[in-house]
Every structure is written in C-alpha cells, then in structure tokens.
Amino acid sequence: MSVLEAVRTGRARSWWERTAPGLAVAAGGAGVAMAVNRLVPALSALTVAVLAGVLVGGALPAVTAHGLRWATRALLRAGVVFLGLQLSLAEVLRLGPGMLTVVVATVLLAFTGTLALARLTGVSRGLGLMVATGFSICGASAIVAMDGVARSEKEDVATAVTLVTIYGSAAIAVVPFLGSHVLGLDPETVGMWAGLSVHEVAQVVAAASPAGAAAVGAAVIVKLTRVVLLAPMVAGMGVIERRAGGAVDGRRPPIVPLFVAGFLVLLLVRSAGVVPGAVVTGAKEVSTVLLAAAMFGLGTSVRVGALLRTGRRGLLLGLLSTVLVGAVSLGALSLLGHR
C-alpha cells in the first residue's frame, strides 16, 4: 500500500469512527418512530422522530454529535430525493385545469400570507419562512428542503416541524367535523379540502378517512400535487436569497440544490411509467426511514429552552397560518363549484 493510499484509508476510517455512533443512534430513533407510526398511523413517523430527538438530545454522549449532524444534513436530502418517486405528473394532470389552479393559488396565497403573518407576530425571518413553507406545501419535508437554500437556524427548523405536528394533528379532527357535520360538504370535497389544507401526508389521510374511500383518494392526489410545487418554490427562494446576498454555511445558497434536482429527476422517471410498483413502494419506505433518521438527528440538536422563548409567538403564527390555509382552500373550492 502506498503512502497516499494509507492516508486516504486512515481518513476514511477516522470519518467512519466519528460518524458511526451518531448514525447508529439516528437509525435507532428512526426505528422507534416507524414502530410508533405502525401502531398509530395518524402519527407521522417524522413527527415522532423529531419529538423523540428533542426528548433524548440532552442525554446523549458527545461521541454521537458528529454522526447526528451528518445524518441531519445528508439523510434529509437523500430522503427528499426519494420522495420524487411517490409522484406522477399523470395523476396531477388528471385533476384538470380548474383544480390545478386552485392548488397553485392556495399554495401561493398561504405562503405569502404566512410570511406577512410572521412579520405581524414578530417571529424571526427564518422561522416565518419555515412555517410558510411547511404549512403551504408538505410539512416537514418542505421545511427541510427550504432549509437548504435559506438563512435559518436549527431551532427555526425544529420549531416549524413542531408546529406542523401540533396543527396538522388538530386538523385530523377539525377538518372532517367542519366539512361533513358543520358545512355539509360532500365526501369528495371534504377529501379535496383535507388535501389542500392539512400538512403531512399521513395527517391528510387520517383527516379524510371519516368521509370514506372516495375522500381519501381525492385527498391524496391533491396533496401530492401540492408536493410537486416544492421544487419551484425552493428554486424561487434560492434566487431571492442569492440576490439578497445571503449565505448558508458561509456560501451563497444554490438556486436549485442538488437534492431538489434529484427529486425532480425521480419525479420525471416515475412519470415516464418505467418504474415498477414494487420499486415505488420500496422507495416510499426508504424515503420515510431516511427522513425519520434525519428528523431524529435534528431533534437532538434542539434545546427546549430555546423553543420556549419563541413558543407563544410561534404557536400564534401556526394558528393564524392554519386558519388562513383552511379558509383560502375552502373558498377556492367553493368558487370551483365544490360544496
């Protein structure tokens, strides 16, 4: 073995020795989150993972820190890439131009409206952007994707994920109750409303389920159409951040992060119809595991005291954003003739 090869081998071994303990802990956290999700499907594995990380973060040994940081960054991005295989443009286009317009309008109004509400409530710019992204598009996955191009703190990301958990869970009970019993909407419209206004996919399914199978089918298609908007939203914010002269980790943010480009590539591959169903199912599981491990790592970096300092304003922002998204989406459906 040459000297150069020995140096490279030593570096690789050193990196692995520093990373392995934290990576193992993140994998364990993901396993726990997946198990809880199996027992209680309404609880997203990502939600459970980040909360578990927050609970144990202060008790973990220092040797796990490097691996957990690596998991938070690398596995998040890999999970978002695999998310692309869950989407098909054919399913999106079947909604028709009217419903597609409703989805786009709801996302844009929810995003810009939540940014305005963030300024009114006095939360930090980073937290406002994370909440606007998560509440308008697809919860935790959207938050971590936006974090790739934005100037935000880990506490902002974790707080936004926590707010997604709180208000998305509340929507599981509120949306079907209001839709079916108060407003008298038909099952398909209840499903569409859930798909437009609820954050995580698991929460959307749970919110639409009381209205029946037709509602669940409509909810999932509408929800995945919102997810498609993740890439252009992140790209647009990347352009804004570069023009503003912002920096992420000391570097100018990319217009389109590499992992978002990977998400788009896999979306197009799935849309071409060349991916077997078993691969799509497997990719969904892989994406969930990767994101859960990363969310656990994110949670361990959060200190509850920092969250509590912005808690009231964050909770208020989450409430106002939830009401905004629900009202805008319901109004748009009414204009389209869904009642």
Side-chain angles (χ1 to χ4, degrees), residues 115 118-119 122-131 149-152 156 237 240-241 244:
L115 290 178
R119 289 191 290 271
V123 304
S124 67
R125 179 184 182 278
L127 177 57
L129 178 58
M130 295 300 110
V131 171
V149 300
R151 291 167 288 165
S152 58
D156 295 333
M237 186 53 63
I240 293 172
E241 291 288 285

Side-chain angles (χ1 to χ4, degrees), residues 81 84 228 231-232 256 259-269:
V81 171
V228 173
V256 180
F259 69 94
V260 175
F263 164 87
L264 284 172
V265 169
L266 291 192
L267 185 153
L268 294 175
V269 169

Side-chain angles (χ1 to χ4, degrees), residues 25-37 43-57 68 140 161-162 165 288-301:
V25 172
V32 170
M34 296 292 289
V36 172
N37 174 250
L43 288 177
S44 165
L46 308 190
T47 293
V48 176
V50 74
L51 292 179
V54 170
L55 288 175
V56 305
L68 287 168
V161 172
T162 302
T165 301
T288 302
V289 171
L290 291 172
L291 288 172
M295 283 295 171
F296 179 85
L298 175 66
T300 63
S301 69

Side-chain angles (χ1 to χ4, degrees), residues 11 27 43 48 95 102 108 114 123 141 151 160 182 215 235 251 258 261 285 290 300 306 325:
R11 286 177 178 172
L43 288 177
V48 176
L95 289 176
V102 165
L108 290 177
T114 300
V123 304
S141 301
R151 291 167 288 165
V182 177
R251 297 169 296 177
L258 186 59
E285 290 296 314
L290 291 172
T300 63
V325 175

Side-chain angles (χ1 to χ4, degrees), residues 186-204:
D186 63 72
E188 185 180 19
T189 303
V190 172
M192 290 180 174
W193 189 31
L196 283 168
S197 61
V198 184
H199 315 315
E200 297 281 352
V201 175
Q203 295 167 345
V204 167

Side-chain angles (χ1 to χ4, degrees), residues 213-242:
V216 173
V220 171
I221 293 175
V222 171
K223 174 61 179 176
L224 293 181
T225 303
R226 285 170 67 193
V227 177
V228 173
L229 297 176
L230 173 62
M233 188 71 78
V234 171
M237 186 53 63
V239 172
I240 293 172
E241 291 288 285
R242 288 175 68 88

Side-chain angles (χ1 to χ4, degrees), residues 39-262:
L39 293 173
V40 188
L43 288 177
S44 165
L46 308 190
T47 293
V48 176
V50 74
L51 292 179
V54 170
L55 288 175
V56 305
L60 293 174
V63 71
T64 63
H66 181 270
L68 287 168
R69 285 196 300 270
W70 184 86
T72 301
R73 184 174 181 85
L75 299 188
L76 276 177
R77 284 148 177 75
V80 172
V81 171
F82 278 101
L83 188 64
L85 281 181
Q86 298 180 35
L87 311 173
S88 170
L89 292 179
E91 294 175 346
V92 171
L93 293 176
R94 276 200 293 271
L95 289 176
M99 193 61 203
L100 287 175
T101 301
V102 165
V103 173
V104 174
T106 298
V107 168
L108 290 177
L109 288 172
F111 182 80
T112 56
T114 300
L115 290 178
L117 290 171
R119 289 191 290 271
L120 287 176
T121 54
V123 304
S124 67
R125 179 184 182 278
L127 177 57
L129 178 58
M130 295 300 110
V131 171
T133 305
F135 279 47
S136 65
I137 305 177
C138 58
S141 301
I143 290 169
V144 299
M146 186 62 79
D147 183 49
V149 300
R151 291 167 288 165
S152 58
E153 303 293 333
K154 287 185 177 180
E155 286 77 10
D156 295 333
V157 177
T159 301
V161 172
T162 302
L163 293 173
V164 161
T165 301
I166 293 171
Y167 289 104
S169 299
I172 292 173
V174 173
V175 167
F177 174 74
L178 289 179
S180 299
H181 302 293
V182 177
L183 300 174
L185 304 177
D186 63 72
E188 185 180 19
T189 303
V190 172
M192 290 180 174
W193 189 31
L196 283 168
S197 61
V198 184
H199 315 315
E200 297 281 352
V201 175
Q203 295 167 345
V204 167
V205 172
S209 292
V216 173
V220 171
I221 293 175
V222 171
K223 174 61 179 176
L224 293 181
T225 303
R226 285 170 67 193
V227 177
V228 173
L229 297 176
L230 173 62
M233 188 71 78
V234 171
M237 186 53 63
V239 172
I240 293 172
E241 291 288 285
R242 288 175 68 88
R243 288 179 176 175
V248 178
D249 296 331
R251 297 169 296 177
R252 294 187 71 190
I255 294 176
V256 180
L258 186 59
F259 69 94
V260 175

